[in-house]
Amino acid sequence: MGCALDPTLWGTGTFLDCATAVVDFAFGPLGVRRLECRSAVTNERGTAAMGKLGAVREGTLRDCFECPAGPVDHIMWSILAKEWRPDGARDRRRRA
């Protein structure tokens, strides 16, 4: 799962609303069992957003993405269908 938002939408809750809908669709009609997501180690907002969504941090992928400034480490996240509680993600957003 990947996502990019215009900076004018940062901090509005748009990511969590959209990501929750995507995860609901993947685990519901599509029957997906596991989703994997990544965020750059240096992307604090992305890391926080994955936590609010309820994703579980699984590890660090070293030098996994090439950027103009050089290779970037990513955090690997997962969400399992059997653990997914979309209302929990929404509740976490309200408290954040």
Side-chain angles (χ1 to χ4, degrees):
M1 184 172 91
C3 174
L5 289 177
D6 185 277
T8 61
L9 297 172
W10 294 356
T12 65
T14 299
F15 168 80
L16 191 57
D17 291 342
C18 294
T20 298
V22 169
V23 175
D24 284 342
F25 181 70
F27 290 151
L30 295 181
V32 170
R33 180 183 58 84
R34 172 187 168 91
L35 287 175
E36 294 179 353
C37 315
R38 297 180 184 186
S39 63
V41 168
T42 56
N43 182 350
E44 294 175 12
R45 292 181 80 94
T47 297
M50 294 310 302
K52 287 180 185 177
L53 186 60
V56 174
R57 184 179 179 151
E58 293 194 338
T60 301
L61 304 172
R62 301 179 307 139
D63 287 356
C64 75
F65 191 79
E66 189 67 37
C67 288
V72 177
D73 293 353
H74 276 192
I75 299 168
M76 173 62 80
W77 301 88
S78 69
I79 305 171
L80 302 180
K82 66 183 179 183
E83 297 172 351
W84 175 242
R85 294 184 359 212
D87 291 336
R90 290 186 191 104
D91 289 345
R92 280 189 289 282
R93 178 176 158 228
R94 286 189 198 105
R95 289 193 300 263

